[in-house]
């Protein structure tokens, strides 16, 4: 079977698998899998249908939906409108074998289970209004102090008690772009934040095996905004063990030093000569035990600055050959090595998510920026548009 033929066969299997209970939304209308094989695969983004299927009801009785994006190479990304959450990402290994590379669940129940809510890992979700911590849940804008919900000891974390990860977003499938746009209007005062904030998050799956995430937001009062996606990755075959063997590069010479409650002290410290240095590829597990606090949970200050997408990080998983590159317009990236996973959660594939089972690379502005005048500002003013883009690009390497 030549390569092109193989791809076509693969497309057939993928599409055949996706015809069933769900609804297909596509620019070319509904087609059977057989009709679809007649379509010659092109590099354009407008050939794929977006499958929609029920994902479960929230505790408040709201219905949720799962959206499936597939590209011409057979890569597949599933996203639910609950928290605009990525629930699964199927990518090929170096032999072409597809497997899920993120931690997640196959129904809403997993995201609402008591064990999940207790440990609060935010698998795949959009976190907001403010990704990461705000010290003591307080900040001042134009002389007025605001008090946020405190949900992480004395601090505010990832938007509060009911952040953007726990609300149902409005969804707009965009089959012409192989994308889904999610929208959430956060009312004035929600979790203590000022102003009505309208946010959109658009997930696009390209034919180059990239997940592109575009964020936009507008407000009617000045408010902090720092949106990110909180996916945990494990690129190993079957996710059969922890992620400590993944080899990571982070393009950052400095990181933000934190206190014992993980709030930045304001100091940007050089990584050179320390266990924090990932400028050259290093296995996550090689030095993780030497890191204070049980592992990596730090914001790296990306070395490349300026407009546009910059390469932030690369991950290589040697047994599968999978590679993931992270590009972003943001100035920072939180590398979190899954230190608080403790085996109490069992994921979609039946695996127990033990410590370091997955890691997050969350593109962001720095934690606690509203209280750190020297950090790049995170305050969005009325009349401005918050814009941020991050790309997770998947490929493979041949050699070990
Ligand atoms: C934070 C961790 C936190 C994790 C899950 C990460 O972004 O940096 O401290 O435990 O999210 O909530």
């Amino acid at each position: 079977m030549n390569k092109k033929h193989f791809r076509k066969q693969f497309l057939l299997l993928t599409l055949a698998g996706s015809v069933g209970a769900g609804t297909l939304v596509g620019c070319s209308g509904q087609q059977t899998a057989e009709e679809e094989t007649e379509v010659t695969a092109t590099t354009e983004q407008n050939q794929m249908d977006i499958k929609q299927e029920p994902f479960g009801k929230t505790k408040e009785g709201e219905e949720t939906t799962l959206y499936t994006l597939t590209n011409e190479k057979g890569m597949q990304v599933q996203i639910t409108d609950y928290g605009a959450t990525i629930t699964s990402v199927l990518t090929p290994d170096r032999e072409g074998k597809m497997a899920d590379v993120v931690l997640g669940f196959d129904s809403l129940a997993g995201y609402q289970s008591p064990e999940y809510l207790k440990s609060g890992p935010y698998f795949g979700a959009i976190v907001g209004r403010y990704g990461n911590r705000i010290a003591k849940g307080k900040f001042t804008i134009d002389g007025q102090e605001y008090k946020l919900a405190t949900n992480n000891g004395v601090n505010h974390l990832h938007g509060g008690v009911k952040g953007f990860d726990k609300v149902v977003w409005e969804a707009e499938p965009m089959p012409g772009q192989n994308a889904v746009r999610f929208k959430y209007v956060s009312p004035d005062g929600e979790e203590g934040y000022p102003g009505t904030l309208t946010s959109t998050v658009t997930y696009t799956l390209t034919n180059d095996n990239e997940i592109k995430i575009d964020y936009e937001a507008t407000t009617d009062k000045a408010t902090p905004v720092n949106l990110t996606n909180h996916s945990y990755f494990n690129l190993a075959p079957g996710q059969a063990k922890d992620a400590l063997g993944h080899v990571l590069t982070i393009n950052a010479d400095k990181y933000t030093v934190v206190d014992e409650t993980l709030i930045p002290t304001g100091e940007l410290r050089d990584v050179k000569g320390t266990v924090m240095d990932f400028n050259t590829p290093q296995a996550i597990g090689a030095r993780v035990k030497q890191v204070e606090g049980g592992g990596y949970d730090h914001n790296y200050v990306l070395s490349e600055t300026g407009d546009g997408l910059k390469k932030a990080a690369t991950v290589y998983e040697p047994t599968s050959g999978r590679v993931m590159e992270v590009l972003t317009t943001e100035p920072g990236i939180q590398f979190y090595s899954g230190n608080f996973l403790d085996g109490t959660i069992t994921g979609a594939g039946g695996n127990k998510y033990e410590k370091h089972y997955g890691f997050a690379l969350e593109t962001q502005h720095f934690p606690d920026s509203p209280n750190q005048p020297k950090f790049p500002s995170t305050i969005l003013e009325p009349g401005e548009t918050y814009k941020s883009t991050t790309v997770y690009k998947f490929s493979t390497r041949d050699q070990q």
Side-chain angles (χ1 to χ4, degrees):
M1 199 187 283
N2 68 29
K3 219 174 181 179
K4 207 167 162 201
H5 190 177
F6 171 78
R7 274 206 199 139
K8 252 186 151 180
Q9 285 295 107
F10 201 86
L11 188 66
L12 167 65
L13 290 176
T14 313
L15 289 166
S18 64
V19 175
T23 317
L24 292 171
V25 180
C27 50
S28 50
Q30 296 197 7
Q31 289 169 305
T32 65
E34 268 158 38
E35 282 167 349
E36 193 72 41
T37 54
E38 296 306 315
V39 176
T40 314
T42 73
T43 51
E44 284 166 26
Q45 285 303 129
N46 59 357
Q47 299 299 310
M48 306 312 269
D49 290 318
I50 298 171
K51 187 186 176 195
Q52 295 184 35
E53 60 196 304
F55 197 57
K57 250 191 203 171
T58 65
K59 295 215 169 76
E60 296 78 29
E62 266 181 288
E63 296 288 357
T64 64
T65 301
L66 186 69
Y67 297 85
T68 304
L69 299 174
T70 309
N71 72 7
E72 69 170 36
K73 298 201 176 85
M75 180 174 160
Q76 181 190 287
V77 179
Q78 294 190 302
I79 312 151
T80 170
D81 48 7
Y82 181 76
T85 300
I86 296 181
T87 64
S88 85
V89 174
L90 301 185
T91 74
D93 67 9
R94 61 161 75 88
E95 313 295 337
K97 197 166 168 240
M98 304 298 266
D100 198 359
V101 297
V102 295
L103 308 194
F105 305 105
D106 49 21
S107 76
L108 187 68
Y111 297 91
Q112 297 212 312
S113 74
E115 318 77 84
Y116 183 78
L117 294 173
K118 187 165 170 248
S119 79
Y122 298 83
F123 289 163
I126 293 300
V127 293
R129 288 186 197 190
Y130 201 94
N132 217 282
R133 292 174 177 79
I134 295 181
K136 302 198 170 58
K138 282 187 201 162
F139 60 89
T140 302
I141 301 179
D142 297 332
Q144 181 167 351
E145 186 178 84
Y146 293 94
K147 286 202 179 88
L148 303 175
T150 48
N151 58 326
N152 188 246
V154 295
N155 299 322
H156 175 87
L157 175 67
H158 293 334
V161 177
K162 190 172 180 184
F164 289 8
D165 60 299
K166 292 187 188 67
V167 298
V168 180
W169 295 57
E170 242 172 75
E172 183 196 347
M174 302 162 79
Q177 278 85 51
N178 207 21
V180 185
R181 172 168 299 156
F182 294 94
K183 179 177 169 189
Y184 177 63
V185 181
S186 168
D188 188 5
E190 191 175 44
E191 300 293 315
Y193 286 102
T196 307
L197 183 77
T198 303
S199 305
T200 62
V201 177
T202 308
Y203 290 98
T204 306
L205 175 60
T206 75
N207 285 328
D208 292 325
N209 285 1
E210 297 161 325
I211 304 171
K212 183 164 166 274
I213 314 176
D214 290 299
Y215 304 84
E216 282 197 15
T218 53
T219 185
D220 59 7
K221 280 185 200 157
T223 185
V225 185
N226 193 25
L227 303 177
T228 191
N229 178 277
H230 208 295
S231 287
Y232 289 61
F233 300 94
N234 184 327
L235 313 184
Q239 302 188 329
K241 61 181 180 88
D242 64 47
L244 295 176
H246 290 55
V247 179
L248 173 66
T249 311
I250 305 178
N251 300 330
D253 293 330
K254 291 182 191 299
Y255 68 102
T256 49
V257 178
V258 286
D259 69 14
E260 61 289 347
T261 69
L262 298 177
I263 293 294
T265 60
E267 183 193 352
L268 307 185
R269 192 175 288 171
D270 283 344
V271 296
K272 211 176 167 128
T274 75
V275 297
M276 301 300 292
D277 193 350
F278 282 91
N279 279 295
T280 55
Q282 304 286 336
I284 293 175
R287 303 163 300 175
V288 72
K289 290 213 166 74
Q290 299 167 49
V291 183
E292 264 178 59
Y296 297 98
D297 193 359
H298 295 83
N299 170 65
Y300 281 81
V301 179
L302 294 171
S303 298
E304 263 192 77
T305 52
D307 292 339
L309 284 170
K310 292 139 312 196
K311 179 80 146 313
T314 306
V315 186
Y316 171 54
E317 199 289 303
T319 58
S320 65
R322 287 193 179 89
V323 175
M324 182 180 80
E325 289 161 87
V326 187
L327 297 101
T328 188
T329 57
E330 287 297 306
I333 195 165
Q334 185 82 13
F335 169 40
Y336 170 57
S337 56
N339 315 329
F340 301 122
L341 297 175
D342 59 5
T344 53
I345 301 172
T346 301
N351 294 320
K352 271 202 163 103
Y353 295 151
E354 303 283 356
K355 188 170 182 179
H356 305 312
Y357 209 84
F359 57 89
L361 286 166
E362 305 151 64
T363 55
Q364 61 183 12
H365 270 55
F366 308 164
D368 200 29
S369 296
N371 295 307
Q372 293 283 349
K374 290 198 177 131
F375 289 178
S377 173
T378 50
I379 306 299
L380 180 71
E381 301 282 347
E384 293 176 344
T385 302
Y386 167 95
K387 281 191 181 173
S388 173
T389 300
T390 291
V391 172
Y392 294 99
K393 182 177 167 69
F394 295 88
S395 57
T396 58
R397 255 180 233 166
D398 282 340
Q399 76 287 4
Q400 277 273 327

